[in-house]
Amino acid sequence: MTQDSNMLKRFYASYSEKVKSARARAGRSLTYAEKVLFSHLFNDSASLRLRRGESYVNFRPDRVAMQDATAQMALLQFMNAGKSHVAVPATVHCDHLIRADVGVGKDLPAAKTQNKEVYDFLKSASAKFGIGFWAPGAGIIHQVVLENYAFPGGMMVGTDSHTPNAGGLGMVAVGVGGADAVDVLTGQPWELRLPRLIGVELKGKLSGWASPKDVILEILGRLTVKGGTNAILEYFGEGVASLSATGRATICNMGAELGATCSMFPFDNNTATYLRQTSRDDVADMALANADDLKADAEVYAEPEKYFDQLITIDLSALEPHLNGPFTPDAATPLSEMKARAPHEGYPLKVEVALVGSCTNSSYQDLARAASVARQALAKRIPMSAELIINPGSEMIRATAERDGILDDLRKVGGVIMTNACGPCIGQWKRHTDDNNRKNTIVTSFNRNFRRRADGNPNTYAFIGSPEMVVALAVAGRLDFNPATDKLKDADGNEVTLDEPRGEAFPPAGFIVSDGQKVGNVEQLEKESLFVPPHDDNEAEVVIDPHSERLQRLAPFPAWDGKELTGMPVLIKTKGKCTTDHISMAGPWLRFRGHLQNISANLLMGAVNAFNGKSNSVKDQIDGQYKEVSAVASHYKEQGVPSIIVAEDNYGEGSSREHAAMEPRFLNVRVVLAKSFARIHETNLKKQGMLALTFKDKADYDKVREDDRVAITGLKTMAPGSELAVTLIHADGTTETFTALHSYNDLQIEWLKAGSALNYLTK
């Protein structure tokens, strides 16, 4: 059933004319990304002479999506904006707070009990402000968006870093923090630095065990986790036609691991077929009427080097299956090389758990291909060697896969079906293990594999692959098993091989599609509605218990006092990778996402202190004692002392969680000085009134000492492109001064002065 029909009709009625106008003003042909971007300008301008990677541009997205962990803070901020109704279509999806333990039958009811006050808050706020509400069990936000809301040529923002998943259907879909979402929800301009454009030409056709997942795993190996920063990856070429819509979504989903703004595929027959299969024939028809402008102009495809800032070519016919990891998604290893690499790197060879699902790989085709491997293991009497856990992507997928016997095939080899939710992918996993500090290996079809992310164990080596490869490795039980070349032994000791996986993109009998109220296994879902459409209920009361430990109304951050920053102790100097998982852990901390004071107790607990090599152990410069990072920050705050965080490259990589910016702000950290920032996190810091600075000379990072007091000067005359002075006052009385850079524009400087972007908006 098509959602937001009126908005879609208005959009497609004017889309091609907007593209035509943008092409005329630019004076040249346009890539597909440019067409979508320029058709969503907040205000039309006379010229499009904008500089990629530099110019800040105001956009008007079509919709907003929020998952339950981040929606809490987004809606708490929206409540302070003084609006009675959202300005664009929006949805909330309850997918992050459900813990995977023993299976959906017990896990889902437990989550509804444990998270009741959060769900009640989100449901009541959605009702009051006209937001669609997807209840726990309905599915993972990005799969549900793909099935119901994503549309070719559109633009959306989402409070989750994997929002770019919708690029599989041709959207500019960007992960943002809650403050950015509030801009869109209140009808304000949404500001974005105009992205660079990376063209990815796909040739040939996938074969054997290679999958769409391997396309992005290969690109990650080439570009690294920083290679797509402030860029859009636009896919084109003959190879595109061979990829299903959900396969394309998988590729776009993991573009987030490149630091990319988003990724997108052009509209074609595969896109139209997916829209029709998900009961959106009208959207397919409207898109077909605009088909020429739902892809790049012909001149772009003829001479792509003239239109893209960077070009990548991948021959799908030659692409090998990959396993990326451990500890970072860009550590790419073609499967044929794992036999040599694993022992050389000291990877534990035994695969203990295999996990299929997540927003990246939980479509019908993903589960079908995974089940085809499971069926072979059963038919050929090959015993399973590892635990197998499955998280379907949505109730539509689960119900359809149940009907078609796919889930039963996975159960027959020992697979445990978890709730239609994120689960282990975001650390919501109660892993049953003898020792949660033991060195071990797991394989997943997820998107991230940072240390501690899945199970909290710093010694879990997590590797990322396709769903079918994950099941194959669960059968073999070895990380270095290559199903294309290696043999296994059946129950009688005979050598057997696994055939190539098979799986249709669509169910032969069609999807079991929701009527918007009740879907699938009614007994399992306790006969509850899974989707409450947007409706006007301005009299609804937003439910927040004033004594709650999980929800807390927000107080505005203080405005800048107009003075230079002086006397700041170094709260922590982080060493190596410092992702948003390190800054604000997920897992058990997800329960406090709506309570800024309580969640701030996890501040930087996963970061490594460069001065002692330990996590969550930093020196309190007031009393000289080593304590948890949050305890030291709280002590400084109590004493009225602002502090500073010093970090290395790509600080804030990973999830979009704005808590990683709000927590230090709440605890009176005023500055983050890093070698470089991940895009979303830098924006989140700016939105919360923080000063995000980079070293002009990265070698100056080494000058910072544990007992330093730091001064930042130049704030009074701060302007776009200006430089600030950083003075280190060492404990021995000596000083060193060097230069720091910023990327603030005029508006962002106003946010800084006001204390936050929300303060500026409400003012």
Side-chain angles (χ1 to χ4, degrees), residues 640-653:
V641 177
S643 58
I644 180 173
I645 293 167
V646 178
E648 295 202 73
D649 273 311
N650 213 30
Y651 180 79
E653 171 193 343

PDB file of all heavy atoms in Angstrom, residues 640-653:
ATOM      1  N   GLY A 640      33.151  23.908  37.581  1.00  0.00           N
ATOM      2  CA  GLY A 640      33.027  24.984  36.606  1.00  0.00           C
ATOM      3  C   GLY A 640      34.183  25.076  35.634  1.00  0.00           C
ATOM      4  O   GLY A 640      34.468  26.148  35.088  1.00  0.00           O
ATOM      5  N   VAL A 641      34.858  23.934  35.409  1.00  0.00           N
ATOM      6  CA  VAL A 641      36.039  23.908  34.545  1.00  0.00           C
ATOM      7  C   VAL A 641      35.675  23.265  33.205  1.00  0.00           C
ATOM      8  O   VAL A 641      35.282  22.095  33.163  1.00  0.00           O
ATOM      9  CB  VAL A 641      37.186  23.113  35.207  1.00  0.00           C
ATOM     10  CG1 VAL A 641      38.388  23.020  34.275  1.00  0.00           C
ATOM     11  CG2 VAL A 641      37.575  23.741  36.530  1.00  0.00           C
ATOM     12  N   PRO A 642      35.791  23.980  32.092  1.00  0.00           N
ATOM     13  CA  PRO A 642      35.572  23.355  30.787  1.00  0.00           C
ATOM     14  C   PRO A 642      36.756  22.470  30.429  1.00  0.00           C
ATOM     15  O   PRO A 642      37.870  22.683  30.929  1.00  0.00           O
ATOM     16  CB  PRO A 642      35.471  24.551  29.839  1.00  0.00           C
ATOM     17  CG  PRO A 642      36.311  25.595  30.480  1.00  0.00           C
ATOM     18  CD  PRO A 642      36.145  25.411  31.970  1.00  0.00           C
ATOM     19  N   SER A 643      36.541  21.473  29.571  1.00  0.00           N
ATOM     20  CA  SER A 643      37.635  20.569  29.199  1.00  0.00           C
ATOM     21  C   SER A 643      37.659  20.371  27.694  1.00  0.00           C
ATOM     22  O   SER A 643      36.790  20.841  26.964  1.00  0.00           O
ATOM     23  CB  SER A 643      37.495  19.221  29.921  1.00  0.00           C
ATOM     24  OG  SER A 643      36.259  18.604  29.626  1.00  0.00           O
ATOM     25  N   ILE A 644      38.683  19.641  27.225  1.00  0.00           N
ATOM     26  CA  ILE A 644      38.903  19.433  25.800  1.00  0.00           C
ATOM     27  C   ILE A 644      39.248  17.972  25.541  1.00  0.00           C
ATOM     28  O   ILE A 644      39.913  17.324  26.359  1.00  0.00           O
ATOM     29  CB  ILE A 644      40.033  20.362  25.276  1.00  0.00           C
ATOM     30  CG1 ILE A 644      40.277  20.164  23.773  1.00  0.00           C
ATOM     31  CG2 ILE A 644      41.322  20.169  26.065  1.00  0.00           C
ATOM     32  CD1 ILE A 644      41.262  21.172  23.180  1.00  0.00           C
ATOM     33  N   ILE A 645      38.780  17.444  24.416  1.00  0.00           N
ATOM     34  CA  ILE A 645      39.113  16.100  23.952  1.00  0.00           C
ATOM     35  C   ILE A 645      40.067  16.245  22.773  1.00  0.00           C
ATOM     36  O   ILE A 645      39.847  17.064  21.885  1.00  0.00           O
ATOM     37  CB  ILE A 645      37.846  15.346  23.509  1.00  0.00           C
ATOM     38  CG1 ILE A 645      36.927  15.074  24.702  1.00  0.00           C
ATOM     39  CG2 ILE A 645      38.205  14.029  22.805  1.00  0.00           C
ATOM     40  CD1 ILE A 645      35.524  14.628  24.298  1.00  0.00           C
ATOM     41  N   VAL A 646      41.123  15.431  22.757  1.00  0.00           N
ATOM     42  CA  VAL A 646      42.085  15.415  21.661  1.00  0.00           C
ATOM     43  C   VAL A 646      42.030  14.032  21.015  1.00  0.00           C
ATOM     44  O   VAL A 646      41.977  13.015  21.717  1.00  0.00           O
ATOM     45  CB  VAL A 646      43.508  15.735  22.164  1.00  0.00           C
ATOM     46  CG1 VAL A 646      44.510  15.677  21.018  1.00  0.00           C
ATOM     47  CG2 VAL A 646      43.540  17.113  22.833  1.00  0.00           C
ATOM     48  N   ALA A 647      42.015  13.987  19.672  1.00  0.00           N
ATOM     49  CA  ALA A 647      41.807  12.708  19.003  1.00  0.00           C
ATOM     50  C   ALA A 647      42.594  12.618  17.705  1.00  0.00           C
ATOM     51  O   ALA A 647      43.131  13.611  17.214  1.00  0.00           O
ATOM     52  CB  ALA A 647      40.317  12.512  18.724  1.00  0.00           C
ATOM     53  N   GLU A 648      42.623  11.402  17.154  1.00  0.00           N
ATOM     54  CA  GLU A 648      43.332  11.164  15.896  1.00  0.00           C
ATOM     55  C   GLU A 648      42.359  11.243  14.713  1.00  0.00           C
ATOM     56  O   GLU A 648      41.331  11.910  14.792  1.00  0.00           O
ATOM     57  CB  GLU A 648      44.061   9.823  15.967  1.00  0.00           C
ATOM     58  CG  GLU A 648      45.166   9.815  17.032  1.00  0.00           C
ATOM     59  CD  GLU A 648      46.227   8.770  16.797  1.00  0.00           C
ATOM     60  OE1 GLU A 648      47.035   8.972  15.869  1.00  0.00           O
ATOM     61  OE2 GLU A 648      46.248   7.752  17.534  1.00  0.00           O
ATOM     62  N   ASP A 649      42.673  10.546  13.629  1.00  0.00           N
ATOM     63  CA  ASP A 649      41.910  10.669  12.390  1.00  0.00           C
ATOM     64  C   ASP A 649      40.529  10.019  12.460  1.00  0.00           C
ATOM     65  O   ASP A 649      40.321   9.021  13.149  1.00  0.00           O
ATOM     66  CB  ASP A 649      42.690  10.035  11.233  1.00  0.00           C
ATOM     67  CG  ASP A 649      43.660  11.017  10.590  1.00  0.00           C
ATOM     68  OD1 ASP A 649      43.240  12.150  10.282  1.00  0.00           O
ATOM     69  OD2 ASP A 649      44.836  10.654  10.399  1.00  0.00           O
ATOM     70  N   ASN A 650      39.596  10.606  11.688  1.00  0.00           N
ATOM     71  CA  ASN A 650      38.251  10.077  11.485  1.00  0.00           C
ATOM     72  C   ASN A 650      37.503   9.906  12.797  1.00  0.00           C
ATOM     73  O   ASN A 650      36.734   8.954  12.975  1.00  0.00           O
ATOM     74  CB  ASN A 650      38.303   8.748  10.727  1.00  0.00           C
ATOM     75  CG  ASN A 650      37.095   8.548   9.824  1.00  0.00           C
ATOM     76  OD1 ASN A 650      36.525   9.511   9.333  1.00  0.00           O
ATOM     77  ND2 ASN A 650      36.715   7.297   9.606  1.00  0.00           N
ATOM     78  N   TYR A 651      37.711  10.830  13.702  1.00  0.00           N
ATOM     79  CA  TYR A 651      37.046  10.796  15.005  1.00  0.00           C
ATOM     80  C   TYR A 651      35.531  10.822  14.797  1.00  0.00           C
ATOM     81  O   TYR A 651      35.003  11.622  14.047  1.00  0.00           O
ATOM     82  CB  TYR A 651      37.476  11.997  15.839  1.00  0.00           C
ATOM     83  CG  TYR A 651      36.845  12.056  17.213  1.00  0.00           C
ATOM     84  CD1 TYR A 651      37.329  11.273  18.256  1.00  0.00           C
ATOM     85  CD2 TYR A 651      35.778  12.908  17.473  1.00  0.00           C
ATOM     86  CE1 TYR A 651      36.756  11.333  19.520  1.00  0.00           C
ATOM     87  CE2 TYR A 651      35.201  12.979  18.732  1.00  0.00           C
ATOM     88  CZ  TYR A 651      35.690  12.188  19.747  1.00  0.00           C
ATOM     89  OH  TYR A 651      35.121  12.254  21.002  1.00  0.00           O
ATOM     90  N   GLY A 652      34.829   9.909  15.475  1.00  0.00           N
ATOM     91  CA  GLY A 652      33.379   9.838  15.356  1.00  0.00           C
ATOM     92  C   GLY A 652      32.900   9.000  14.197  1.00  0.00           C
ATOM     93  O   GLY A 652      31.734   9.084  13.800  1.00  0.00           O
ATOM     94  N   GLU A 653      33.754   8.157  13.658  1.00  0.00           N
ATOM     95  CA  GLU A 653      33.360   7.218  12.600  1.00  0.00           C
ATOM     96  C   GLU A 653      32.242   6.323  13.110  1.00  0.00           C
ATOM     97  O   GLU A 653      32.144   6.018  14.294  1.00  0.00           O
ATOM     98  CB  GLU A 653      34.581   6.372  12.229  1.00  0.00           C
ATOM     99  CG  GLU A 653      34.309   5.209  11.307  1.00  0.00           C
ATOM    100  CD  GLU A 653      35.482   4.231  11.229  1.00  0.00           C
ATOM    101  OE1 GLU A 653      36.601   4.601  11.620  1.00  0.00           O
ATOM    102  OE2 GLU A 653      35.257   3.094  10.780  1.00  0.00           O
TER     103      GLU A 653
END
